[in-house]
Amino acid sequence: TASGGRLRGQLKTNDLLRNPFFQELLQSMTEEERETYRAEKRARSLELRAKEKQSIQTTRKMIAESKQRVCIDMEWHSQLTEKELNSLYKQLNYTYAAVRKAVAGGRKGLKLIFTGVDAALKQDMQRKVNGSHSWPVVWSEAKLLDQFRGEKDSLVYLTHESSTVLKELSDDEVYIVGGIVDRNRIRGGTASKAKELGLQTARLELSQETLRFTSGTTILTVNHVVEILLEAANGANWRDAVTKVLPSRKGVIDTSKE
């Protein structure tokens, strides 16, 4: 963050000021030379801060203008325990961080849309996740079909239970990820909701024909799903996207390389 960068810069400055060689250099200067040095230092600091601020603003603008839309369905929040909700907040933080890092590195981003976020939920998350109030995402109280009125045929709910494998991404489609933490406790919830709303569904390619999980489960966290979509949006095939994103504890093996 910008405040973090300024803090690190201040710590480096303080270390320099405590350096005996630097102290000796300052003492060897005339008062006029010291004042010139301080003025140049202030100017450099202001210039760096201005560049950092401009970089952050540019990144946020690019994220907000991303063509590929991904929606996090937060309507599930009323069914989550406080512990699960806090875990979801962390996953959303990881999600945004991944998108921000991609865009800052010159790659494509994702336009993130959070639906079903009432005032209390938004306030709670922004209180617990530092900086989330300034994320360039869509915070919407509306339910899915209200948020995407007239786009029902473009909505694709990603669910582990779908019989349809997502082959490729399309800027014309909106991929929906259920804001659920313990999917075993709410088993089949996303598939049931998609059917109730009349939405098409799809699942990521995690079949044993291409990938093998030697440990863990193929049911993924919110941030892992979005990060895999992010890699795919940047041209990675599904195998590479999955193996890059998932942590080593999942024990994912690309069977095509065996």
Side-chain angles (χ1 to χ4, degrees), residues 2-187:
S3 60
R6 287 195 294 272
L7 177 59
R8 288 189 294 273
Q10 186 61 48
L11 289 173
K12 290 180 181 178
T13 299
N14 290 340
D15 289 340
L16 183 61
L17 290 173
R18 287 192 292 266
N19 187 301
F21 297 102
F22 181 74
Q23 289 293 332
E24 184 178 346
L25 177 62
L26 280 181
Q27 290 173 7
S28 69
M29 293 180 181
T30 64
E31 184 57 38
E32 182 179 355
E33 288 173 334
R34 280 195 290 270
E35 187 55 40
T36 298
Y37 168 79
R38 293 189 187 103
E40 291 176 347
K41 181 175 177 297
R42 284 194 294 270
R44 287 195 299 270
S45 178
L46 289 173
E47 182 181 1
L48 287 173
R49 289 183 186 181
K51 287 182 178 180
E52 184 180 78
K53 183 177 181 180
Q54 181 60 46
S55 176
I56 291 172
Q57 290 175 342
T58 299
T59 297
R60 288 174 175 169
K61 184 174 184 293
M62 291 175 67
I63 292 173
E65 294 177 350
S66 296
K67 293 181 179 180
Q68 185 65 73
R69 292 175 292 172
V70 173
C71 172
I72 309 299
D73 178 10
M74 298 289 284
E75 292 177 45
W76 298 96
H77 73 88
S78 61
Q79 299 184 46
L80 304 185
T81 65
E82 183 177 359
K83 182 179 179 180
E84 289 171 342
L85 198 55
N86 289 334
S87 178
L88 177 60
Y89 293 162
K90 289 181 180 179
Q91 292 180 29
L92 295 179
N93 195 17
Y94 295 146
T95 295
Y96 174 68
V99 173
R100 182 190 62 207
K101 181 178 179 181
V103 173
R107 304 170 72 215
K108 289 183 180 180
L110 299 172
K111 184 178 181 65
L112 299 175
I113 304 162
F114 299 163
T115 56
V117 183
D118 59 33
L121 181 66
K122 182 178 180 180
Q123 183 179 34
D124 186 48
M125 179 174 169
Q126 293 184 348
R127 178 174 60 85
K128 294 177 178 178
V129 182
N130 185 41
S132 58
H133 67 282
S134 62
W135 290 357
V137 305
V138 177
W139 302 85
S140 176
E141 292 191 33
K143 295 185 176 182
L144 281 174
L145 296 185
D146 292 329
Q147 176 66 32
F148 300 102
R149 193 177 298 277
E151 295 187 83
K152 184 176 180 179
D153 292 342
S154 300
L155 304 182
V156 181
Y157 214 123
L158 299 180
T159 174
H160 185 69
E161 291 83 4
S162 179
S163 58
T164 302
V165 175
L166 184 61
K167 297 295 185 182
E168 59 183 4
L169 300 185
S170 168
D171 288 346
D172 296 326
E173 294 181 326
V174 182
Y175 301 102
I176 305 165
V177 181
I180 302 174
V181 174
D182 187 349
R183 296 177 188 275
N184 288 320
R185 191 169 64 79
I186 312 179
R187 188 179 294 275

